[in-house]
Amino acid sequence: MQYDIIIVGGGAVGLATGLKLLNQNPALKVVVIEKETVVANHQTGNNSNVIHSGIYYKPGSLKARNCIHGYNLLVDFCQQNEIPHSICGKVIVATDEHELPLLKNIFDRGQQNGLQNLKMLSASELKEHEPHVAGIAGIHVPQTGIVDYRVVAEKYAELILKKGGEIKLGEKVIDIQLGTSNAVVVTQKASYTGKLIVNCAGLYSDKIAQLTSKNVDLKIIPFRGEYYKLKKEKEYLVKTLIYPVPDPNFPFLGVHFTTMVGGGVECGPNAVLAFKREGYKKSDINLGELGETLAWPGFRKIVSKYWRTGMGEMYRSYSKAAFTKALQKLMPEIKEEDLVAGGAGVRAQACDRTGGLLDDFMILEEKLAINVCNAPSPAATSSLSIGETIAELALKRI
Ligand SMILES: Cc1cc2nc3c(=O)[nH]c(=O)nc-3n(C[C@H](O)[C@H](O)[C@H](O)COP(=O)(O)OP(=O)(O)OC[C@H]3O[C@@H](n4cnc5c(N)ncnc54)[C@H](O)[C@@H]3O)c2cc1C
């Protein structure tokens, strides 16, 4: 089977790329290969479902540019396709003095990134937005929204099919053979020949990248994020989204409260090392994958740098009381019995050999492949923008 472009991975990034390619050149022969029997079954379908505004990211970084452009594309896409979403806004809450300079830094970044109508809030103004929050200062971010990314990805897939693209579900890519001008992608069921491969395999993007290149010196480290839900009768405590001031040394935002587009309030996610790349439960272990993580020199350096934070996250994972305590920093009246177990997602976080957790998106180009090597949050928000970038890179080659 001959294709112009073969996309590996049917999450938000792979599907958005397929859609953008077909929008730009409807004559292209594009196929998306996905190992699960449905699209969006991993990061895209198991995340916080927040439409991020772009406030946190370093001005000029790929994250900052793609988040804000992606935000606009996504909101337009949801409007055009009647996908339920809400631009409800959020507050970022400082709870002690040492967080105030960090809060100011986030505010400045937001302004440098071009966000309009951001507002610094005093403790009493914070209460006007979120009456049950106890902070000493905050930021109101009016742009932030909520959506269901599984629904978004399903719409991307529907449009790909409508435009003549193909999606092969239930086919795991197990090998890639590189020729001089073509590559053959082998799944357990068939082989596909293409002029270019686009790797959007999320938690396995390093593995697929290594099949296309000898220059990939990264490892995906899986970090599980676990959620609780607020009991129905306590949902009144949260009006929109409530975030802490994130630890600037850690690539995750800290446990927060998120209202959901379909109703309900989620609390979380924490960030614990998953013992299996697609390990959604504490008991999920894949000894081969865990051994690879532990043997990676970069991971050992992360442990020596972040062991204290890591232990805290692990403790909160096993102790509901400790998880509740983290939430009580934002909202003291929350009690352990107000929380019921929710779902979990696993983040694909690229780590280099020296122990650097890659903060920015990373796209590596090879002769016959474009590898999306790091697409952590906010890549769901940014998916149409990342897809647009990849489509431009790809179309220059075809
Ligand atoms: C807990 C959590 C909370 C988050 N919150 C947010 C948020 O609120 N807002 C936001 O914008 N982002 C958020 N993110 C990040 C966001 O979910 C991801 O950045 C985004 O979904 C990445 O999309 P993707 O397509 O790259 O990966 P994925 O959605 O993981 O898709 C990759 C696909 O590749 C497939 N695949 C892998 N290997 C193979 C193979 N060998 N053959 C065939 N198919 C293969 C997988 O089955 C999968 O479907 C969050 C992530 C997590 C985990």
Side-chain angles (χ1 to χ4, degrees), residues 241-258:
L241 313 183
I242 305 169
Y243 279 65
V245 174
D247 176 348
N249 298 313
F250 215 51
F252 311 120
L253 295 177
V255 290
H256 44 263
F257 295 91
T258 319

mmCIF file of all heavy atoms in Angstrom, residues 241-258:
data_model
loop_
_atom_site.group_PDB
_atom_site.id
_atom_site.type_symbol
_atom_site.label_atom_id
_atom_site.label_comp_id
_atom_site.label_asym_id
_atom_site.label_seq_id
_atom_site.Cartn_x
_atom_site.Cartn_y
_atom_site.Cartn_z
ATOM 1 N N LEU A 241 -11.761 27.116 37.332
ATOM 2 C CA LEU A 241 -10.545 26.329 37.490
ATOM 3 C C LEU A 241 -9.653 27.038 38.503
ATOM 4 O O LEU A 241 -9.493 28.253 38.432
ATOM 5 C CB LEU A 241 -9.770 26.211 36.168
ATOM 6 C CG LEU A 241 -10.545 25.833 34.914
ATOM 7 C CD1 LEU A 241 -9.598 25.698 33.739
ATOM 8 C CD2 LEU A 241 -11.286 24.532 35.090
ATOM 9 N N ILE A 242 -9.060 26.250 39.412
ATOM 10 C CA ILE A 242 -8.230 26.839 40.474
ATOM 11 C C ILE A 242 -6.879 26.129 40.467
ATOM 12 O O ILE A 242 -6.811 24.914 40.691
ATOM 13 C CB ILE A 242 -8.910 26.657 41.852
ATOM 14 C CG1 ILE A 242 -10.338 27.228 41.830
ATOM 15 C CG2 ILE A 242 -8.072 27.309 42.939
ATOM 16 C CD1 ILE A 242 -11.170 26.855 43.051
ATOM 17 N N TYR A 243 -5.824 26.898 40.192
ATOM 18 C CA TYR A 243 -4.476 26.334 40.090
ATOM 19 C C TYR A 243 -3.562 26.927 41.156
ATOM 20 O O TYR A 243 -3.678 28.110 41.474
ATOM 21 C CB TYR A 243 -3.861 26.669 38.722
ATOM 22 C CG TYR A 243 -4.297 25.779 37.591
ATOM 23 C CD1 TYR A 243 -5.614 25.760 37.149
ATOM 24 C CD2 TYR A 243 -3.370 24.971 36.946
ATOM 25 C CE1 TYR A 243 -6.000 24.947 36.107
ATOM 26 C CE2 TYR A 243 -3.754 24.156 35.890
ATOM 27 C CZ TYR A 243 -5.069 24.142 35.473
ATOM 28 O OH TYR A 243 -5.447 23.330 34.437
ATOM 29 N N PRO A 244 -2.588 26.119 41.613
ATOM 30 C CA PRO A 244 -1.565 26.688 42.512
ATOM 31 C C PRO A 244 -0.494 27.402 41.676
ATOM 32 O O PRO A 244 -0.513 27.331 40.440
ATOM 33 C CB PRO A 244 -0.965 25.443 43.178
ATOM 34 C CG PRO A 244 -1.085 24.389 42.130
ATOM 35 C CD PRO A 244 -2.360 24.687 41.357
ATOM 36 N N VAL A 245 0.443 28.035 42.333
ATOM 37 C CA VAL A 245 1.631 28.550 41.633
ATOM 38 C C VAL A 245 2.554 27.348 41.414
ATOM 39 O O VAL A 245 2.910 26.675 42.378
ATOM 40 C CB VAL A 245 2.346 29.614 42.489
ATOM 41 C CG1 VAL A 245 3.652 30.053 41.836
ATOM 42 C CG2 VAL A 245 1.425 30.809 42.698
ATOM 43 N N PRO A 246 2.900 27.048 40.158
ATOM 44 C CA PRO A 246 3.700 25.832 39.948
ATOM 45 C C PRO A 246 5.147 25.990 40.397
ATOM 46 O O PRO A 246 5.674 27.096 40.413
ATOM 47 C CB PRO A 246 3.634 25.630 38.430
ATOM 48 C CG PRO A 246 3.291 26.957 37.860
ATOM 49 C CD PRO A 246 2.555 27.723 38.912
ATOM 50 N N ASP A 247 5.756 24.854 40.755
ATOM 51 C CA ASP A 247 7.181 24.822 41.070
ATOM 52 C C ASP A 247 7.934 25.050 39.757
ATOM 53 O O ASP A 247 7.822 24.250 38.830
ATOM 54 C CB ASP A 247 7.493 23.428 41.664
ATOM 55 C CG ASP A 247 8.972 23.236 41.938
ATOM 56 O OD1 ASP A 247 9.788 24.059 41.485
ATOM 57 O OD2 ASP A 247 9.312 22.235 42.612
ATOM 58 N N PRO A 248 8.717 26.146 39.660
ATOM 59 C CA PRO A 248 9.350 26.451 38.371
ATOM 60 C C PRO A 248 10.396 25.421 37.952
ATOM 61 O O PRO A 248 10.798 25.362 36.803
ATOM 62 C CB PRO A 248 10.011 27.819 38.609
ATOM 63 C CG PRO A 248 10.124 27.961 40.079
ATOM 64 C CD PRO A 248 9.069 27.109 40.708
ATOM 65 N N ASN A 249 10.827 24.569 38.899
ATOM 66 C CA ASN A 249 11.851 23.565 38.559
ATOM 67 C C ASN A 249 11.249 22.253 38.082
ATOM 68 O O ASN A 249 11.972 21.324 37.745
ATOM 69 C CB ASN A 249 12.718 23.265 39.794
ATOM 70 C CG ASN A 249 13.434 24.506 40.231
ATOM 71 O OD1 ASN A 249 14.014 25.210 39.397
ATOM 72 N ND2 ASN A 249 13.361 24.810 41.518
ATOM 73 N N PHE A 250 9.948 22.175 38.084
ATOM 74 C CA PHE A 250 9.283 20.907 37.775
ATOM 75 C C PHE A 250 8.325 21.142 36.608
ATOM 76 O O PHE A 250 7.625 22.169 36.600
ATOM 77 C CB PHE A 250 8.506 20.471 39.033
ATOM 78 C CG PHE A 250 8.470 18.993 39.234
ATOM 79 C CD1 PHE A 250 9.628 18.242 39.203
ATOM 80 C CD2 PHE A 250 7.261 18.351 39.461
ATOM 81 C CE1 PHE A 250 9.589 16.874 39.395
ATOM 82 C CE2 PHE A 250 7.209 16.978 39.658
ATOM 83 C CZ PHE A 250 8.378 16.240 39.625
ATOM 84 N N PRO A 251 8.266 20.250 35.595
ATOM 85 C CA PRO A 251 7.473 20.577 34.414
ATOM 86 C C PRO A 251 5.965 20.344 34.557
ATOM 87 O O PRO A 251 5.264 20.255 33.564
ATOM 88 C CB PRO A 251 8.065 19.640 33.342
ATOM 89 C CG PRO A 251 8.601 18.497 34.097
ATOM 90 C CD PRO A 251 8.985 18.986 35.457
ATOM 91 N N PHE A 252 5.464 20.189 35.786
ATOM 92 C CA PHE A 252 4.034 19.943 35.960
ATOM 93 C C PHE A 252 3.416 21.073 36.783
ATOM 94 O O PHE A 252 4.121 21.763 37.514
ATOM 95 C CB PHE A 252 3.814 18.576 36.619
ATOM 96 C CG PHE A 252 4.590 17.466 35.938
ATOM 97 C CD1 PHE A 252 5.531 16.718 36.620
ATOM 98 C CD2 PHE A 252 4.406 17.212 34.584
ATOM 99 C CE1 PHE A 252 6.271 15.728 35.981
ATOM 100 C CE2 PHE A 252 5.135 16.210 33.930
ATOM 101 C CZ PHE A 252 6.071 15.475 34.632
ATOM 102 N N LEU A 253 2.103 21.222 36.669
ATOM 103 C CA LEU A 253 1.480 22.432 37.211
ATOM 104 C C LEU A 253 1.013 22.321 38.661
ATOM 105 O O LEU A 253 0.596 23.307 39.248
ATOM 106 C CB LEU A 253 0.289 22.843 36.324
ATOM 107 C CG LEU A 253 0.658 23.268 34.901
ATOM 108 C CD1 LEU A 253 -0.586 23.594 34.085
ATOM 109 C CD2 LEU A 253 1.591 24.488 34.917
ATOM 110 N N GLY A 254 1.086 21.129 39.238
ATOM 111 C CA GLY A 254 0.613 20.954 40.622
ATOM 112 C C GLY A 254 -0.875 20.622 40.642
ATOM 113 O O GLY A 254 -1.605 20.948 39.701
ATOM 114 N N VAL A 255 -1.327 19.973 41.711
ATOM 115 C CA VAL A 255 -2.734 19.543 41.755
ATOM 116 C C VAL A 255 -3.653 20.768 41.753
ATOM 117 O O VAL A 255 -3.390 21.754 42.434
ATOM 118 C CB VAL A 255 -3.053 18.617 42.953
ATOM 119 C CG1 VAL A 255 -2.387 17.259 42.767
ATOM 120 C CG2 VAL A 255 -2.656 19.240 44.275
ATOM 121 N N HIS A 256 -4.708 20.664 40.944
ATOM 122 C CA HIS A 256 -5.630 21.797 40.802
ATOM 123 C C HIS A 256 -7.071 21.307 40.722
ATOM 124 O O HIS A 256 -7.315 20.096 40.623
ATOM 125 C CB HIS A 256 -5.267 22.621 39.562
ATOM 126 C CG HIS A 256 -4.963 21.817 38.336
ATOM 127 N ND1 HIS A 256 -3.691 21.488 37.932
ATOM 128 C CD2 HIS A 256 -5.786 21.254 37.413
ATOM 129 C CE1 HIS A 256 -3.728 20.775 36.830
ATOM 130 N NE2 HIS A 256 -4.983 20.604 36.492
ATOM 131 N N PHE A 257 -7.977 22.245 40.765
ATOM 132 C CA PHE A 257 -9.413 21.926 40.637
ATOM 133 C C PHE A 257 -9.838 22.319 39.220
ATOM 134 O O PHE A 257 -9.562 23.435 38.778
ATOM 135 C CB PHE A 257 -10.244 22.750 41.616
ATOM 136 C CG PHE A 257 -9.975 22.447 43.057
ATOM 137 C CD1 PHE A 257 -9.017 23.162 43.765
ATOM 138 C CD2 PHE A 257 -10.686 21.457 43.726
ATOM 139 C CE1 PHE A 257 -8.773 22.899 45.108
ATOM 140 C CE2 PHE A 257 -10.451 21.194 45.074
ATOM 141 C CZ PHE A 257 -9.487 21.914 45.762
ATOM 142 N N THR A 258 -10.532 21.403 38.540
ATOM 143 C CA THR A 258 -10.957 21.677 37.171
ATOM 144 C C THR A 258 -12.421 21.302 37.001
ATOM 145 O O THR A 258 -12.786 20.138 37.222
ATOM 146 C CB THR A 258 -10.153 20.801 36.159
ATOM 147 O OG1 THR A 258 -8.798 20.762 36.567
ATOM 148 C CG2 THR A 258 -10.257 21.324 34.761
#
